[in-house]
Amino acid sequence: MEQQWRVFIAIPLPEEVKKWIQVRMNSFVIPTNQLFKRITDPRDYHITVQFLGDVEISRIAEIEARMQLAVQRLSPFWLQLSEWDTFGRRDAPKVLWYGTQGNLQVLTELHHHVTAQMHMSGFLPEDRAYHPHITTARQYKGEGEFDLIGMERVITGGGHDEDPVLTLSRPEWQVDRIVLYRTRMGQRPMYEVVAEALLAP
């Protein structure tokens, strides 16, 4: 049986954006007892476009070609971090994530092109609506109820002005590529880039 990789298509984040999120996670979420079972390694921060699942290694070239077709008529566009939010119960969320703002229309168009191309290769899109986000933690395990509003108040309430990274406005960045990540369970970082497709300049 041919070896398989678990793969997904995503938008990678620049290092400065990863650092911005990491500083907030390290400085506020964990010390204020907003505890989660799994904290995302900052090197693994990304915005998922489509999860493909377990595929034979021989199909990676086909997927990469489809990725190239999906972005060939799209130009680079700008995104910016928005707000914290959660999936699951508000008092005991399954996922803590950071949202995006900016040119969401083009992001939605990108998602549509990618899923259409992957459908031609037999990868079905998810039934639920596309909700772009950056996962930062999973499975809340704190003793009390999770307090998202309180966490945001701590983050924006001052008292940390000595750290210049914390005083910056939410970073924005230009999306100029999509990548195919391979999942390496139990390793850090867990995701490895195995293919990419550049948006047209």
Side-chain angles (χ1 to χ4, degrees), residues 168-187:
L168 297 176
S169 61
R170 294 186 184 93
E172 61 180 354
W173 73 98
Q174 189 175 57
V175 177
D176 64 356
R177 72 194 62 206
I178 56 175
V179 301
L180 184 68
Y181 280 120
R182 167 196 177 193
T183 300
R184 307 177 303 166
M185 297 302 296
Q187 299 190 42

Side-chain angles (χ1 to χ4, degrees), residues 100-114:
T100 59
Q101 58 190 355
N103 204 331
L104 298 181
Q105 180 177 348
V106 178
L107 177 56
T108 300
E109 185 179 355
L110 169 64
H111 173 258
H112 173 75
H113 286 313
V114 168

Side-chain angles (χ1 to χ4, degrees), residues 29-189:
V29 177
I30 298 173
T32 53
N33 294 322
Q34 309 298 337
L35 299 176
F36 288 78
K37 185 175 180 179
R38 286 189 289 165
I39 303 295
T40 304
D41 187 306
R43 294 169 292 181
D44 287 329
Y45 291 153
H46 65 273
I47 300 172
T48 299
V49 178
Q50 185 178 4
F51 178 74
L52 302 181
D54 296 327
V55 302
E56 293 79 10
I57 295 177
S58 60
R59 299 195 66 189
I60 298 301
E62 173 194 356
I63 294 171
E64 182 176 13
R66 290 287 183 192
M67 290 167 58
Q68 300 287 351
L69 291 172
V71 302
Q72 64 181 352
R73 295 186 179 182
L74 293 177
S75 297
F77 60 97
W78 290 89
L79 290 179
Q80 185 179 29
L81 295 179
S82 57
E83 303 284 350
W84 294 102
D85 210 334
T86 60
F87 291 139
R89 288 170 42 191
R90 300 294 284 186
D91 61 343
K94 293 181 178 179
V95 178
L96 175 68
W97 51 268
Y98 230 115
T100 59
Q101 58 190 355
N103 204 331
L104 298 181
Q105 180 177 348
V106 178
L107 177 56
T108 300
E109 185 179 355
L110 169 64
H111 173 258
H112 173 75
H113 286 313
V114 168
T115 55
Q117 285 293 331
M118 294 303 137
H119 199 180
M120 295 180 192
S121 289
F123 298 102
L124 299 180
E126 292 186 274
D127 292 334
R128 58 189 177 185
Y130 181 53
H131 196 132
H133 63 279
I134 302 160
T135 296
T136 58
R138 295 180 182 273
Q139 299 178 350
Y140 177 71
K141 64 174 185 178
E143 295 182 0
E145 294 185 356
F146 179 73
D147 182 8
L148 179 62
I149 296 177
M151 185 190 78
E152 291 176 331
R153 187 180 300 115
V154 170
I155 290 173
T156 60
H160 297 272
D161 293 341
E162 69 279 359
D163 189 333
V165 178
L166 297 177
T167 64
L168 297 176
S169 61
R170 294 186 184 93
E172 61 180 354
W173 73 98
Q174 189 175 57
V175 177
D176 64 356
R177 72 194 62 206
I178 56 175
V179 301
L180 184 68
Y181 280 120
R182 167 196 177 193
T183 300
R184 307 177 303 166
M185 297 302 296
Q187 299 190 42
R188 295 175 67 89

